[in-house]
Amino acid sequence: MTVEIWWGRTADARPGLVAELNAAERDRMAAYARDEDKSRFVVGATIVRRVLAGKLGRSPADVVIDRTCPDCGRQHGKVVADGMQISVSHSGDRIVVAFHPVAAVGVDVELINPSIDTASLATVSLSDLEADELAAFPADARARAFTQYWTRKEAVVKATGDGIAADLRKVVVSAPDQPAALREWAGYDGPVRLVDLPAGVEYAAALAMLSDEDLEVRSFDAAPLLRS
Ligand SMILES: CC(C)(COP(=O)(O)OP(=O)(O)OC[C@H]1O[C@@H](n2cnc3c(N)ncnc32)[C@H](O)[C@@H]1OP(=O)(O)O)[C@@H](O)C(=O)NCCC(=O)NCCS
Ligand SMILES: [Zn+2]
């Protein structure tokens, strides 16, 4: 099973892209106070629309996208489109979108902040086992290690659709110096494939696919897609 991964940057954002968005997406953009948030959102939404437009043979503005949140009904939930499973993530100047025709996918990218307090973050998002493993990393490697745990966990809970409703301490993943895997999570007992995505030294990223088929990843640069 091949998951398509499309990478964009905030610098790919242009005012003209907004014309392809639907009313809910324009409202989302307008609600962001910071330009960088607007850019991250419009690049993610446009990658979704333009990649699907290419696959469906229609124009990006005609692609039907729904983000209804199952908890509150607002348009800030997981992206849903006919015939494709999709996951979107953005952090810093990176935007990533994963596509698979059948299997649910979850993707997460995070800018690594070298000055985070990993010990206190561990108490709210890592299991005791993971926190012990993290503490064994050299101090200057802990920010990256913590962020790898985080992106692996987020990829899983985004694939299942739980998102922030999940208690990340219970989503136990493999240690950052081991191949990515879900070790244990009572909230989901189906098959899952997990892999780290190369995202450069400043970022950590991971992809989850809810299937026991082999996971193959094909990565694309979204810049040419967003240029026209
Ligand atoms: C996904 C989530 C974990 C956020 O993660 P994050 O690290 O802050 O942000 P990311 O950039 O990695 O991911 C954001 C994307 O996740 C997607 N997403 C939102 N809810 C999701 C969910 N439950 N499951 C999977 N994906 C979800 C959206 O596509 C969103 O991007 P978009 O709005 O630009 O389309 C999340 O659950 C969340 O914060 N959702 C926001 C909505 C909210 O506040 N819900 C509360 C319930 S009312
Ligand atoms: Zn909501």
Side-chain angles (χ1 to χ4, degrees), residues 177-205:
D177 54 3
Q178 299 296 314
L182 177 64
R183 284 194 276 202
E184 179 189 345
W185 181 27
Y188 175 75
D189 62 2
V192 56
R193 296 280 183 209
L194 191 59
V195 67
D196 291 328
L197 299 174
V201 291
E202 293 182 300
Y203 291 85

Side-chain angles (χ1 to χ4, degrees), residues 69-74 76-77:
C69 170
D71 296 322
C72 72
R74 287 160 61 201
H76 60 205

Side-chain angles (χ1 to χ4, degrees), residues 144-201:
R144 164 164 280 279
F146 173 82
T147 313
Q148 276 181 270
Y149 276 122
W150 178 268
T151 53
R152 289 174 179 185
K153 288 164 182 262
E154 286 277 312
V156 171
V157 301
K158 289 176 77 175
T160 62
D162 289 275
I164 50 173
D167 180 351
L168 291 185
R169 290 172 299 185
K170 300 195 167 131
V171 183
V172 185
V173 296
S174 51
D177 54 3
Q178 299 296 314
L182 177 64
R183 284 194 276 202
E184 179 189 345
W185 181 27
Y188 175 75
D189 62 2
V192 56
R193 296 280 183 209
L194 191 59
V195 67
D196 291 328
L197 299 174
V201 291

Side-chain angles (χ1 to χ4, degrees), residues 28 32 40-41 44-45 67 69 71-72 74-79 87-91 107-110 150 154 157-165:
R28 282 279 307 278
Y32 285 119
R40 283 188 276 262
F41 179 76
R67 287 187 185 74
C69 170
D71 296 322
C72 72
R74 287 160 61 201
Q75 287 291 316
H76 60 205
K78 188 171 186 172
V79 174
S87 184
V88 178
S89 184
H90 15 59
S91 183
V107 71
D108 196 56
V109 61
E110 294 290 338
W150 178 268
E154 286 277 312
V157 301
K158 289 176 77 175
T160 62
D162 289 275
I164 50 173

